[in-house]
């Protein structure tokens, strides 16, 4: 359980402070790799390559992948899917909050 809270927290910080698109998340992912050990720099290079070649925002693709492999290391597909959803939600939530605040102010 603590792993998923940490996963959510790390990607929430990334989503909150990486302004400028998916490529702006890369320095945060390097720091996250050093701090948590969830993935290596080689894994990060592979995530960038796969994230660039698949449809969708690269930051979301990388968050989903990190959550997936982190959850898979916990013991199975259920944990992998839970990790992927947790990391992706953590990355997207700050933007959603900002959009809701701006929309409320424009009303």
């Amino acid at each position: 359980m603590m792993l998923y809270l940490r996963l959510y927290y790390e990607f929430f910080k990334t989503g909150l402070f990486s302004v400028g698109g998916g490529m702006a998340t890369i320095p945060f992912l390097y720091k996250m790799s050093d701090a948590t050990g969830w993935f290596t720099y080689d894994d990060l290079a592979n995530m960038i390559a796969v994230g660039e070649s698949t449809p969708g925002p690269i930051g979301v693709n990388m968050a989903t992948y990190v959550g997936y492999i982190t959850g898979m290391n916990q013991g199975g597909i259920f944990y992998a899917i839970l990790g992927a959803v947790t990391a992706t939600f953590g990355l997207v939530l700050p933007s959603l909050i900002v959009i809701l605040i701006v929309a409320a102010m424009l009303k």
Side-chain angles (χ1 to χ4, degrees), residues 5 40 52 64 73 84 90:
L5 289 174
T40 64
E52 285 288 335
T64 305
N73 291 336

Side-chain angles (χ1 to χ4, degrees), residues 13-94:
K13 284 191 315 186
T14 302
L16 187 63
F17 296 114
S18 62
V19 178
M23 295 303 265
T25 63
I26 293 173
F28 290 95
L29 290 173
Y30 275 111
K31 243 181 165 176
M32 191 184 304
S33 172
D34 293 336
T36 63
W38 290 333
F39 51 92
T40 64
Y41 287 172
D42 288 336
D43 292 335
L44 185 57
N46 290 332
M47 283 190 282
I48 293 168
V50 171
E52 285 288 335
S53 63
T54 55
I58 186 171
V60 172
N61 290 344
M62 289 193 293
T64 305
Y65 181 73
V66 170
Y68 183 84
I69 61 170
T70 303
M72 188 60 89
N73 291 336
Q74 290 297 304
I77 192 70
F78 173 77
Y79 297 108
I81 292 171
L82 182 62
V85 169
T86 301
T88 304
F89 185 68
L91 184 76
V92 172
L93 187 62

